[in-house]
Amino acid sequence: MRANCPSHDIAPMPRSWPDKFRDAFRGLWLATGHERSFVVHLPMAVAVTVCGALLRVSLVEACILGLCITMVLVAEIFNTAMEYLSREITQERRPDIARALQIASGAVLMASIGAAVIGTALLGNRLGIALGWWTGLR
């Protein structure tokens, strides 16, 4: 495939740091603005952040919640990138491409379930403390 594409024979021009950051932010914009899954993920991230603030989570708990949110969003971005790439490669139904996309979707699901379990444990503990149900783990 590379042999038929003359542009691969030319070494890429080095890009400046501002260009790299511009492209990275454009990629974030494209992923969040054009992927339907972000309609679910971003409001959930905001809700978790607000709940964490209202329940006065500790710094460590806030960092754990932030890592969980980041993990889910990054998994979704990689999944979105794979979807775009697969459509660019071929419009045909290819079993291996379908499997790769299913695996990527599975990664998003696994990240989401893990984040939900961790978030429920952390926020549930803080809610129990706030409501006086238990002294909780500090």
Side-chain angles (χ1 to χ4, degrees):
M1 195 151 119
R2 285 185 96 160
N4 296 337
C5 186
S7 64
H8 288 291
D9 296 334
I10 301 169
M13 296 283 295
R15 295 181 322 163
S16 68
W17 281 104
D19 288 343
K20 291 177 184 184
F21 276 100
R22 185 195 70 238
D23 290 345
F25 282 112
R26 175 141 172 79
L28 285 175
W29 175 254
L30 288 170
T32 58
H34 296 90
E35 178 57 37
R36 290 182 305 230
S37 296
F38 278 96
V39 172
V40 174
H41 292 305
L42 290 176
M44 289 303 292
V46 170
V48 167
T49 303
V50 169
C51 287
L54 291 174
L55 294 171
R56 298 176 178 247
V57 297
S58 70
L59 176 61
V60 172
E61 291 168 329
C63 289
I64 292 169
L65 291 172
L67 283 172
C68 287
I69 290 168
T70 302
M71 175 181 64
V72 171
L73 295 178
V74 167
E76 187 60 59
I77 289 170
F78 276 124
N79 183 46
T80 300
M82 287 191 64
E83 289 172 355
Y84 274 95
L85 188 58
S86 70
R87 286 192 296 268
E88 192 63 28
I89 290 170
T90 182
Q91 296 296 318
E92 299 172 17
R93 290 197 172 269
R94 305 278 300 272
D96 285 340
I97 291 175
R99 282 192 269 288
L101 293 173
Q102 290 166 352
I103 291 167
S105 292
V108 175
L109 179 62
M110 181 177 278
S112 299
I113 290 170
V117 168
I118 292 168
T120 299
L122 289 176
L123 296 176
N125 180 56
R126 285 293 169 182
L127 181 61
I129 293 168
L131 296 176
W133 294 345
W134 57 77
T135 56
L137 303 173
R138 300 214 184 250

